Amino acid sequence: MAEAPIGGLCPPRFAAVRQAFEANFASGLELGARFALAVEGEIVIDLIGGWADRAQTRPFAVDTLTPIFSTTKALAAFMIARLVGEGRLDYGQRVAEVWPEFAAAGKAEVTVDQVMSHRAGLPGFAEPMAASDWFDWDLICAKLAAMSPMWKPGEQSGYHPVTFGYLAGEIFRRVDGRGLGTALREDIAAPLGLDLWIGLPDAEHGRCADVRRPPAMPDLGIMSDAKRVAFLTPWASPGGVSQAEWRRAEIPSVTGHATAPALARLMAILANGGRLDGRQYLSAETIAEAARSRGRGEDLVLPYDMAWGAGFIRNEGLGIYGPGGQSFGHSGWGGSCAFADPQRRVSGAYVMNRQSAELIADARARRLIDAAYAGL
């Protein structure tokens, strides 16, 4: 492996963060990576290193975009919270009020809150389908509307790795009229100059990092039907199309692309009472409602004891987003994550292109986050 170039912003009080970042590379755990931390919305750490391509000819640069997989769900949760804050949607209302077809097969009483906290019982499809079917938005939404829940909605959480994006995205589209990724770009990312996307235009594809897949599947614990449809069928995730088609797909659970500072700045809105750069994007009350626990317990899909907010992973009991019990965010397949800590007004993000087999607790990110908190 060629020596990885490492640089970026890291003041002396955060020297341990740079040491941890360099150690991740020295141990052979990284190809390319970036870590950013914001305090009260200001980026105070922005470390960047390694390579954007597998051949190690293209350095990981300030404009390199990284696929963030399920960290995309934090963006979807943010956009749904915006609708709630604007009074256009309520977490307690029935999904069928905005999406009438969804009432089929015993789902008439399923609420937005249950969908957002992975309690709707729709983690994947048992019936065979083509992996490329995921790129037909209307088809997938029709299948979800017709589907019977795999468990009684509201009783227990079971992570919805891909279907979450269609459920949240279709709720958003029915209320707003736009795709969630389009609205994110128009209302938040472009005005704030944030380099984050759900649905990447072709003109941006040349900036994307190559992803090196993990050597093994994650440990899901004792197998169940819910885990099987969520992760292990041949059609469990989008596939069977070109990389360009995958990048341009607007799937608010898995196809996000971003830089670490852009994610850290977006999460800074959630960490700072809804305010960033002098503008109020959410009320503190809306953030508290989006982040509050919907109950904690063993997840039916993830092998963890989980406390879900309305689309956010709560840090309590996990300790993956620093020491704060009130921190929340989301992690992505292979290692990426983004989080907000309203108690300390801190937010951060880690992106990388060498995936590990960890689902939500990647050790590389945890070392960086823990070292950053030690320097605060």
Side-chain angles (χ1 to χ4, degrees), residues 19-374:
Q19 291 168 6
F21 193 73
E22 292 173 344
N24 284 342
F25 282 94
S27 301
L29 300 176
E30 299 284 23
L31 177 59
R34 194 170 184 181
F35 175 69
L37 190 82
V39 177
E40 296 184 351
E42 179 186 352
I43 298 293
V44 296
I45 300 173
D46 181 12
L47 281 167
I48 186 167
W51 306 98
D53 62 334
R54 297 186 193 92
Q56 301 178 14
T57 61
R58 185 161 54 100
F60 210 91
V62 293
D63 66 343
T64 297
L65 285 171
T66 312
I68 58 172
F69 299 96
S70 284
T71 300
T72 308
K73 293 180 177 72
L75 312 182
F78 178 95
M79 294 303 291
I80 290 291
R82 285 263 290 165
L83 291 183
V84 172
E86 292 165 355
R88 302 164 69 192
L89 186 70
D90 190 276
Y91 289 123
Q93 78 181 96
R94 296 181 297 113
V95 174
E97 291 177 31
V98 299
W99 181 0
E101 301 91 329
F102 189 81
K107 303 192 301 301
E109 300 303 316
V110 173
T111 63
V112 174
D113 195 271
Q114 288 167 349
V115 162
M116 296 302 293
S117 59
H118 300 270
R119 294 171 182 270
L122 308 170
F125 299 114
E127 303 78 16
M129 60 185 249
S132 58
D133 284 351
W134 289 104
F135 296 91
D136 185 334
W137 182 269
D138 291 339
L139 172 66
I140 297 299
C141 288
K143 287 170 71 71
L144 288 167
M147 182 178 169
S148 298
M150 293 187 70
W151 62 87
K152 185 177 178 180
E155 276 198 346
Q156 206 167 345
S157 74
Y159 183 52
H160 293 38
V162 183
T163 56
F164 175 91
Y166 296 84
L167 295 167
E170 185 64 6
I171 290 168
F172 188 95
R173 189 183 71 83
R174 295 281 177 135
V175 174
D176 184 85
R178 296 173 292 172
L180 189 150
T182 299
L184 171 70
R185 191 74 209 147
E186 293 176 353
D187 297 352
I188 306 295
L192 282 169
L194 302 181
D195 202 357
L196 51 84
W197 314 75
I198 306 174
L200 189 65
D202 287 7
E204 310 294 339
H205 290 195
R207 301 195 283 130
C208 291
D210 296 340
V211 173
R212 181 179 289 175
R213 300 290 186 180
M217 283 294 291
D219 180 6
L220 294 170
I222 299 172
M223 193 46 56
S224 66
D225 288 343
K227 293 180 183 186
R228 192 170 292 109
V229 302
F231 283 116
L232 297 178
T233 66
W235 56 88
S237 60
V241 299
S242 68
Q243 187 176 65
E245 190 170 348
W246 187 88
R247 284 173 174 163
R248 68 173 73 100
E250 195 172 323
I251 306 174
S253 46
V254 291
T255 60
H257 288 72
T259 66
L263 286 170
R265 289 262 292 156
L266 180 89
M267 299 304 285
I269 296 173
L270 301 169
N272 290 276
R275 195 169 183 82
L276 186 66
D277 294 351
R279 182 178 171 188
Q280 196 76 31
Y281 289 90
L282 288 167
S283 70
E285 293 75 19
T286 299
I287 295 169
E289 178 61 15
R292 73 168 177 82
S293 176
R294 269 66 182 172
R296 183 175 162 188
E298 183 181 353
D299 195 82
L300 293 174
V301 172
L302 295 176
Y304 302 105
D305 188 72
M306 299 293 295
W308 289 102
F312 296 110
I313 296 172
R314 289 181 53 81
N315 198 42
E316 60 181 277
L318 294 173
I320 58 176
Y321 306 134
Q326 298 305 310
S327 298
F328 59 92
H330 216 288
S331 300
W333 166 229
S336 66
C337 68
F339 71 93
D341 179 351
Q343 290 180 304
R344 295 170 178 80
R345 295 185 175 268
V346 166
S347 58
Y350 166 74
V351 302
M352 78 303 130
N353 60 346
R354 181 170 186 164
Q355 293 186 298
S356 75
E358 286 292 337
L359 287 164
I360 64 171
D362 191 282
R364 296 168 297 179
R366 294 179 73 174
R367 282 192 287 268
L368 294 167
I369 294 168
D370 290 347
Y373 270 91

